[in-house]
Amino acid sequence: MSIWVVAGEVSFIVLILLFLLFSIYSLLEKEKRAFWRSLVLFLSIAAINIFFLFISIPLKNCLFGTVFVLSVVILLILICSPSPKQAMKFIGKPRKIDERDVIFARFDYKEGTRIFREYYERRPEYKKIDDDIRKIPDILSAPHMKKNPLHYSLADAEFNFLENLLTQVGGKISPEKVELSPSENSQMIKNIIKYLGSEFCGICALKQEYIYSYVGRGPEPYSKKIEVNHKYAIVFAIEMDFEMVAMAPKAPVIVETGKKYVEAAKISIIAADFIRHLGYSARAHIAGSNYQAILPPLGWKAGLGELGRMSILITRKFGPRARLGLITTDLPLILDKPVKLGIQDFCQKCQKCARNCPAQAIPYGEKVEENGVFKWVLNREECYRFWRKAGTDCAVCIFVCPYSKPDNLFHNFIRKITSKSSFAQSLSVWGDDFF
Ligand code: SF4
Ligand code: SF4
């Protein structure tokens, strides 16, 4: 057997195993189209390989040699293509965001109340669009409940439970301080958060620009100045179930969102209380109406991921298919660093979330500067309008994002090579559409 046949056969075996593995993973993930297409490719390559083995010697050498050379060329392009270059870009110091302007706060204001009048007198530019959106039944309201009472009732119960936790976010600090080094504290708090249910946690400095300026919702008085003087933010991510998110934008997705917010709240409340037992100030920030800080940029600073085209944090492990939790504290800690995962370059090539967004709220074009950050800016009103139409928090963009694929060996390998090679990113964008 010639050297060309041996080299070509090795290339065939690698390709056959690759598509076999891909079809097995697709089957396990119930990705029907990907399963059938990878199975057809696996069988076709195996059939071509067998056919090549039975042809005459000179042609056999030539064909096996061609397969080998092509495989080597593709491998070299993969290895040598430039690494993704873009990092998230910040210019200047962003101003604080006013929680009163956040879309969920605006839709909490009840018509005819003092707060409603005060808000729209001060911010008349939002009045027309908000009134228009108000005509659509609210998320989890009676018209939606009638369509799917079981799922919506369960989601409503989860969000009610979260509201009942609001009194638990702070508490008394023990007068006895437990003195450990910042690195011991960091390791300890990460271990505890892992033990409580999140494997994915980072620490960053709590800069004032990431704290909301004035209260817009929740139990604190409306318009009260928000003061959080903690030095550190501990941010963690909780994975959302792949199959539940696959139902987006139907009711199961909001059940899953509520469930993961409850898990994040549990972890934040227990971890913050634990820190107070050690003699340091700490506050849990829980979903619903309780965040005093903006989570996506803190998640980026803490090394959990990067902001993507859909404007939310794309985490290293679960992509955007995650919910974030937050604790702010004065417990001395070691800071983590932001990570560069190649997501800025990937999002430039991929517009899958924009193409699939039922509200067409995700931009197709370039990033723009918003409050000191270069990013893709979501049309929040159009996104929220669709949420009310669907009766859920939609999440179609989260499901279709290639980074949302399950956290397993196969997809983690793809995540790894796409963070290193621009060609791998282009191949992955094409592959995600094809399969
Ligand atoms: S949640 Fe839905 S409507 Fe909003 S941006 Fe994503 S896909 Fe579009
Ligand atoms: S779907 Fe594509 S463009 Fe959108 S956030 Fe994910 S990777 Fe970026």
Side-chain angles (χ1 to χ4, degrees):
M1 201 182 280
S2 83
I3 185 80
W4 290 114
V5 174
V6 173
E9 188 56 40
V10 170
S11 308
F12 265 121
I13 289 172
V14 171
L15 274 175
I16 288 167
L17 287 178
L18 195 75
F19 282 107
L20 178 63
L21 195 68
F22 187 31
S23 57
I24 292 171
Y25 269 103
S26 305
L27 186 66
L28 293 174
E29 290 165 17
K30 299 185 186 138
E31 295 270 6
K32 277 192 202 151
R33 195 175 74 163
F35 167 68
W36 285 113
R37 291 196 170 188
S38 50
L39 189 70
V40 166
L41 278 167
F42 156 70
L43 293 172
S44 308
I45 295 168
I48 292 169
N49 184 193
I50 293 166
F51 172 71
F52 280 12
L53 286 170
F54 290 98
I55 52 181
S56 61
I57 295 282
L59 189 60
K60 184 193 275 190
N61 285 345
C62 174
L63 289 174
F64 272 102
T66 308
V67 170
F68 173 68
V69 171
L70 274 177
S71 310
V72 170
V73 168
I74 292 173
L75 198 64
L76 282 176
I77 298 176
L78 263 178
I79 295 168
C80 301
S81 86
S83 310
K85 286 192 193 69
Q86 291 184 55
M88 286 187 58
K89 201 165 145 201
F90 289 75
I91 39 166
K93 194 176 166 195
R95 65 177 160 73
K96 283 187 166 201
I97 304 278
D98 187 340
E99 198 198 15
R100 294 173 298 183
D101 291 333
V102 171
I103 205 145
F104 303 111
R106 278 155 46 197
F107 286 90
D108 270 358
Y109 309 149
K110 299 279 170 288
E111 280 182 270
T113 61
R114 176 189 61 80
I115 293 175
F116 188 92
R117 272 194 307 279
E118 183 282 328
Y119 182 74
Y120 288 105
E121 273 166 27
R122 201 164 40 77
R123 301 293 262 158
E125 66 272 32
Y126 291 133
K127 181 79 170 58
K128 190 169 176 309
I129 187 150
D130 287 4
D131 282 349
D132 198 34
I133 296 172
R134 265 189 199 93
K135 290 177 193 151
I136 306 164
D138 201 353
I139 299 163
L140 299 179
S141 61
H144 293 299
M145 285 275 178
K146 269 191 209 144
K147 285 186 234 152
N148 188 336
L150 298 184
H151 280 106
Y152 285 118
S153 300
L154 182 52
D156 205 30
E158 289 165 340
F159 284 100
N160 286 342
F161 182 74
L162 278 170
E163 290 298 306
N164 291 332
L165 295 177
L166 291 179
T167 51
Q168 311 292 313
V169 297
K172 275 207 320 216
I173 303 165
S174 165
E176 304 287 325
K177 260 197 171 60
V178 177
E179 306 269 3
L180 293 172
S181 73
S183 76
E184 285 170 322
N185 283 336
S186 302
Q187 200 48 57
M188 174 181 65
I189 201 72
K190 284 181 183 175
N191 287 343
I192 283 170
I193 286 178
K194 184 172 177 183
Y195 172 69
L196 291 171
S198 165
E199 300 220 354
F200 195 27
C201 169
I203 297 164
C204 66
L206 183 63
K207 295 267 170 62
Q208 282 300 311
E209 56 260 36
Y210 299 125
I211 294 168
Y212 286 121
S213 54
Y214 296 99
V215 173
R217 60 200 296 240
E220 296 280 315
Y222 172 78
S223 280
K224 185 183 158 198
K225 195 166 181 214
I226 297 177
E227 310 258 12
V228 186
N229 294 311
H230 290 142
K231 286 193 187 125
Y232 303 99
I234 303 164
V235 195
F236 58 89
I238 307 259
E239 180 182 13
M240 292 177 78
D241 182 81
F242 184 74
E243 289 184 23
M244 292 294 270
V245 176
M247 309 286 279
K250 297 202 182 106
V253 81
I254 197 164
V255 174
E256 180 64 8
T257 300
K259 181 180 177 213
K260 295 305 147 86
Y261 276 145
V262 168
E263 283 176 27
K266 174 200 79 177
I267 295 172
S268 307
I269 289 171
I270 297 174
D273 198 16
F274 166 75
I275 294 171
R276 291 193 299 273
H277 274 75
L278 301 183
Y280 298 89
S281 174
R283 184 195 192 275
H285 298 252
I286 65 175
S289 57
N290 184 252
Y291 294 132
Q292 291 186 322
I294 305 159
L295 270 73
L298 289 173
W300 169 72
K301 289 256 173 197
L304 262 53
E306 290 179 29
L307 290 179
R309 185 182 287 278
M310 67 177 82
S311 292
I312 61 176
L313 193 77
I314 304 208
T315 64
R316 254 185 298 149
K317 274 168 92 84
F318 320 118
R321 192 173 45 81
R323 296 287 149 175
L324 301 179
L326 172 69
I327 302 141
T328 56
T329 182
D330 279 336
L331 177 76
L333 295 166
I334 299 284
L335 305 182
D336 291 305
K337 289 196 175 78
V339 282
K340 210 177 123 203
L341 305 169
I343 290 169
Q344 306 308 301
D345 296 72
F346 195 99
C347 285
Q348 207 129 34
K349 298 182 179 82
C350 167
Q351 298 176 327
K352 207 162 179 182
C353 52
R355 278 188 273 126
N356 285 277
C357 171
Q360 287 298 288
I362 301 172
Y364 287 85
E366 294 297 310
K367 289 189 249 185
V368 294
E369 188 265 330
E370 189 189 59
N371 196 21
V373 188
F374 268 102
K375 59 179 185 179
W376 288 283
V377 178
L378 181 76
N379 184 333
R380 298 174 184 95
E381 283 76 17
E382 289 314 312
C383 171
Y384 183 67
R385 189 197 296 271
F386 184 79
W387 286 24
R388 286 178 78 122
K389 281 184 191 160
T392 68
D393 55 341
C394 178
V396 166
C397 49
I398 294 178
F399 175 62
V400 299
C401 180
Y403 284 99
S404 281
K405 299 279 186 242
D407 175 29
N408 59 33
L409 197 69
F410 184 75
H411 294 301
N412 288 342
F413 173 69
I414 308 274
R415 284 185 182 103
K416 193 84 191 157
I417 55 170
T418 53
S419 72
K420 304 270 178 233
S421 154
S422 290
F423 179 66
Q425 289 196 339
S426 304
L427 214 57
S428 169
V429 168
W430 172 82
D432 200 70
D433 281 339
F434 178 76
F435 290 105

Short mmCIF file of all heavy atoms in Angstrom, two decimals, residues 310 353 356-362 378 382-384 386-387 393-398, ligand 1:
data_model
loop_
_atom_site.label_atom_id
_atom_site.label_comp_id
_atom_site.label_asym_id
_atom_site.label_seq_id
_atom_site.Cartn_x
_atom_site.Cartn_y
_atom_site.Cartn_z
N MET A 310 -27.04 40.26 20.60
CA MET A 310 -28.39 40.34 21.17
C MET A 310 -28.42 41.16 22.47
O MET A 310 -29.44 41.20 23.16
CB MET A 310 -28.97 38.95 21.39
CG MET A 310 -28.25 38.15 22.43
SD MET A 310 -29.03 36.55 22.71
CE MET A 310 -28.36 35.58 21.39
N CYS A 353 -29.36 35.61 15.49
CA CYS A 353 -30.37 36.14 16.43
C CYS A 353 -31.19 37.23 15.75
O CYS A 353 -32.41 37.28 15.89
CB CYS A 353 -29.72 36.65 17.71
SG CYS A 353 -28.38 37.82 17.44
N ASN A 356 -33.67 35.75 13.25
CA ASN A 356 -34.76 34.97 13.84
C ASN A 356 -35.63 35.74 14.82
O ASN A 356 -36.64 35.22 15.28
CB ASN A 356 -34.18 33.74 14.56
CG ASN A 356 -33.74 32.67 13.58
OD1 ASN A 356 -34.54 31.88 13.12
ND2 ASN A 356 -32.46 32.70 13.23
N CYS A 357 -35.22 36.96 15.17
CA CYS A 357 -35.99 37.72 16.16
C CYS A 357 -37.38 38.05 15.61
O CYS A 357 -37.48 38.74 14.59
CB CYS A 357 -35.24 39.00 16.52
SG CYS A 357 -36.23 40.11 17.54
N PRO A 358 -38.44 37.58 16.25
CA PRO A 358 -39.78 37.84 15.71
C PRO A 358 -40.16 39.31 15.73
O PRO A 358 -41.05 39.74 15.00
CB PRO A 358 -40.71 37.03 16.63
CG PRO A 358 -39.91 36.71 17.83
CD PRO A 358 -38.47 36.75 17.47
N ALA A 359 -39.48 40.11 16.55
CA ALA A 359 -39.79 41.55 16.63
C ALA A 359 -38.83 42.38 15.79
O ALA A 359 -38.96 43.60 15.73
CB ALA A 359 -39.71 42.00 18.09
N GLN A 360 -37.85 41.71 15.19
CA GLN A 360 -36.79 42.42 14.44
C GLN A 360 -36.20 43.55 15.30
O GLN A 360 -36.03 44.68 14.86
CB GLN A 360 -37.34 42.96 13.11
CG GLN A 360 -37.57 41.84 12.09
CD GLN A 360 -36.28 41.11 11.70
OE1 GLN A 360 -35.44 41.65 11.00
NE2 GLN A 360 -36.08 39.88 12.19
N ALA A 361 -35.92 43.20 16.54
CA ALA A 361 -35.42 44.19 17.51
C ALA A 361 -33.90 44.18 17.63
O ALA A 361 -33.32 45.04 18.29
CB ALA A 361 -36.04 43.92 18.88
N ILE A 362 -33.26 43.18 17.02
CA ILE A 362 -31.79 43.05 17.14
C ILE A 362 -31.15 43.64 15.89
O ILE A 362 -31.55 43.30 14.77
CB ILE A 362 -31.39 41.57 17.32
CG1 ILE A 362 -32.06 41.01 18.59
CG2 ILE A 362 -29.87 41.40 17.40
CD1 ILE A 362 -31.90 39.52 18.78
N LEU A 378 -30.00 46.87 21.28
CA LEU A 378 -31.31 46.25 21.08
C LEU A 378 -32.40 47.31 21.07
O LEU A 378 -32.32 48.28 21.83
CB LEU A 378 -31.54 45.29 22.26
CG LEU A 378 -32.83 44.49 22.28
CD1 LEU A 378 -32.76 43.34 21.29
CD2 LEU A 378 -33.07 43.92 23.69
N GLU A 382 -39.38 47.32 21.12
CA GLU A 382 -39.95 46.33 20.20
C GLU A 382 -39.80 44.92 20.77
O GLU A 382 -40.67 44.08 20.58
CB GLU A 382 -39.31 46.44 18.81
CG GLU A 382 -39.73 47.69 18.06
CD GLU A 382 -41.24 47.94 18.11
OE1 GLU A 382 -42.02 47.00 17.86
OE2 GLU A 382 -41.65 49.07 18.43
N CYS A 383 -38.68 44.68 21.44
CA CYS A 383 -38.48 43.38 22.09
C CYS A 383 -39.58 43.16 23.14
O CYS A 383 -40.25 42.13 23.14
CB CYS A 383 -37.09 43.33 22.74
SG CYS A 383 -36.81 41.89 23.79
N TYR A 384 -39.79 44.18 23.99
CA TYR A 384 -40.76 44.04 25.06
C TYR A 384 -42.20 43.95 24.50
O TYR A 384 -43.02 43.21 25.04
CB TYR A 384 -40.64 45.21 26.04
CG TYR A 384 -41.58 45.10 27.21
CD1 TYR A 384 -41.41 44.10 28.17
CD2 TYR A 384 -42.66 45.96 27.35
CE1 TYR A 384 -42.28 43.97 29.23
CE2 TYR A 384 -43.54 45.84 28.41
CZ TYR A 384 -43.35 44.84 29.34
OH TYR A 384 -44.23 44.71 30.39
N PHE A 386 -43.02 42.43 21.86
CA PHE A 386 -43.23 41.03 21.49
C PHE A 386 -43.43 40.15 22.73
O PHE A 386 -44.22 39.21 22.71
CB PHE A 386 -42.08 40.50 20.63
CG PHE A 386 -42.37 39.09 20.18
CD1 PHE A 386 -43.24 38.87 19.12
CD2 PHE A 386 -41.84 38.00 20.85
CE1 PHE A 386 -43.58 37.57 18.75
CE2 PHE A 386 -42.17 36.70 20.49
CZ PHE A 386 -43.04 36.50 19.42
N TRP A 387 -42.71 40.46 23.81
CA TRP A 387 -42.89 39.69 25.06
C TRP A 387 -44.36 39.71 25.47
O TRP A 387 -44.92 38.70 25.86
CB TRP A 387 -42.06 40.29 26.20
CG TRP A 387 -40.59 40.02 26.12
CD1 TRP A 387 -39.86 39.73 25.01
CD2 TRP A 387 -39.67 40.02 27.21
NE1 TRP A 387 -38.54 39.57 25.34
CE2 TRP A 387 -38.40 39.74 26.69
CE3 TRP A 387 -39.80 40.24 28.58
CZ2 TRP A 387 -37.25 39.68 27.49
CZ3 TRP A 387 -38.67 40.18 29.38
CH2 TRP A 387 -37.40 39.90 28.84
N ASP A 393 -41.11 35.71 28.12
CA ASP A 393 -39.92 36.52 27.85
C ASP A 393 -39.22 36.05 26.57
O ASP A 393 -38.00 36.21 26.43
CB ASP A 393 -38.97 36.50 29.06
CG ASP A 393 -38.59 35.10 29.49
OD1 ASP A 393 -39.31 34.15 29.11
OD2 ASP A 393 -37.58 34.93 30.19
N CYS A 394 -39.98 35.46 25.66
CA CYS A 394 -39.56 35.12 24.29
C CYS A 394 -38.35 34.18 24.23
O CYS A 394 -38.49 33.00 24.05
CB CYS A 394 -39.34 36.39 23.47
SG CYS A 394 -38.76 36.06 21.78
N ALA A 395 -37.13 34.73 24.28
CA ALA A 395 -35.89 33.92 24.29
C ALA A 395 -35.58 33.19 22.99
O ALA A 395 -34.73 32.31 22.97
CB ALA A 395 -35.90 32.94 25.47
N VAL A 396 -36.25 33.56 21.88
CA VAL A 396 -35.91 32.94 20.60
C VAL A 396 -34.44 33.19 20.27
O VAL A 396 -33.72 32.30 19.83
CB VAL A 396 -36.83 33.50 19.47
CG1 VAL A 396 -36.29 33.13 18.10
CG2 VAL A 396 -38.25 32.98 19.65
N CYS A 397 -33.97 34.43 20.52
CA CYS A 397 -32.57 34.76 20.22
C CYS A 397 -31.62 33.88 21.04
O CYS A 397 -30.57 33.46 20.55
CB CYS A 397 -32.29 36.24 20.47
SG CYS A 397 -32.87 36.84 22.06
N ILE A 398 -32.00 33.62 22.28
CA ILE A 398 -31.13 32.80 23.14
C ILE A 398 -31.04 31.39 22.56
O ILE A 398 -29.97 30.80 22.46
CB ILE A 398 -31.68 32.77 24.59
CG1 ILE A 398 -31.60 34.18 25.19
CG2 ILE A 398 -30.95 31.75 25.44
CD1 ILE A 398 -32.16 34.31 26.59
S1 SF4 B 1 -36.19 38.12 23.29
FE1 SF4 B 1 -37.33 37.72 21.37
S2 SF4 B 1 -38.10 39.70 20.75
FE2 SF4 B 1 -36.49 40.10 22.25
S3 SF4 B 1 -34.63 40.36 21.05
FE3 SF4 B 1 -34.73 38.19 21.60
S4 SF4 B 1 -35.75 37.22 19.87
FE4 SF4 B 1 -36.15 39.41 19.71
#
